[in-house]
Amino acid sequence: MTFPDWGEESDSFRSLAQMECRGKINFYSLMPRALYIEFLNGFDLYISAARSDSSPSSLLDAMGTGMVPIVSDIPGVKDWVNNDNALLFNPQKKGSLSEAVWKVLNNEIKIEEMLRRNNELVDKKGRFTANVARTIEIMQEMIRARQ
C-alpha cells in the first residue's frame, strides 16, 4: 500500500502504519502533476476512507488513470461515484472497507465496465482544461451581457 506523506497527521500516521504493517507500506511526497499522474498509473485500486470531502480531486485523478475507486459513502463524492462506478463503504461500520476490497479481489464486480464508466465521466465532467475553457466561456458571456 502507498500513502501520501504530507498533512497534519502524517508523522503519527507514518509511525503507526510502519509499526502495524512491518514495512509493507510505502509513502510518496508531493510531486509535479505530470509525474503524479504517471505515478498513479502503477496502481490498480484507489481507497479513500475519508469521513468528509468537499472536492475529491484525488478521486478524479484515480478515476482518470483507470484505478478502481473504493471510497467512503459520503456526500462529497456523490457527484462522481455511485454503485455503478465505484465500491462505496460505510466508514462507520467495522469491516465495510475490507468487504469492498474483497469484492474486487474475488472478481465479484465488473471492473472493465466500471473503468469504462469512470473514463467517460471524467472525460465529460472532470478534465481540468475543459472545465477552465467552459469557465472562460461563461465569463465572456457575462461580459458581453453587460456591454
Side-chain angles (χ1 to χ4, degrees):
M1 281 193 271
T2 303
F3 293 93
D5 194 19
W6 65 86
E8 223 172 87
E9 301 293 328
S10 65
D11 290 339
S12 57
F13 177 76
R14 187 181 332 99
S15 297
L16 179 63
Q18 288 173 336
M19 181 177 65
E20 291 294 323
C21 298
R22 296 178 206 89
K24 296 179 182 172
I25 298 269
N26 297 305
F27 295 91
Y28 66 93
S29 299
L30 287 171
M31 58 186 83
R33 179 145 182 84
L35 186 59
Y36 173 68
I37 296 301
E38 183 180 320
F39 173 75
L40 290 181
N41 285 315
F43 299 95
D44 298 316
L45 302 178
Y46 168 82
I47 299 174
S48 174
R51 293 178 190 264
S52 67
D53 199 345
S54 60
S55 180
S57 60
S58 62
L59 171 61
L60 299 182
D61 291 337
M63 291 168 66
T65 56
M67 296 167 74
V68 174
I70 302 174
V71 298
S72 300
D73 190 359
I74 57 173
V77 300
K78 295 295 186 163
D79 286 340
W80 295 101
V81 295
N82 56 47
N83 289 319
D84 291 331
N85 69 337
L87 289 158
L88 302 172
F89 68 93
N90 181 344
Q92 305 295 327
K93 181 181 171 195
K94 187 175 183 168
S96 183
L97 172 57
S98 61
E99 287 174 21
V101 171
W102 280 110
K103 284 181 182 179
V104 175
L105 298 177
N106 291 327
N107 295 312
E108 296 177 26
I109 60 168
K110 296 179 181 178
I111 292 175
E112 294 80 19
E113 184 66 22
M114 180 183 288
L115 298 180
R116 183 191 60 75
R117 284 187 186 114
N118 288 342
N119 191 48
E120 289 173 1
L121 181 63
V122 171
D123 274 346
K124 182 178 177 183
K125 290 177 44 178
R127 298 286 181 210
F128 179 76
T129 52
N131 287 339
V132 169
R134 180 61 187 137
T135 301
I136 290 170
E137 287 175 19
I138 292 169
M139 292 172 71
Q140 289 172 336
E141 289 170 11
M142 291 170 52
I143 291 168
R144 281 192 294 273
R146 292 188 67 177
Q147 293 176 343

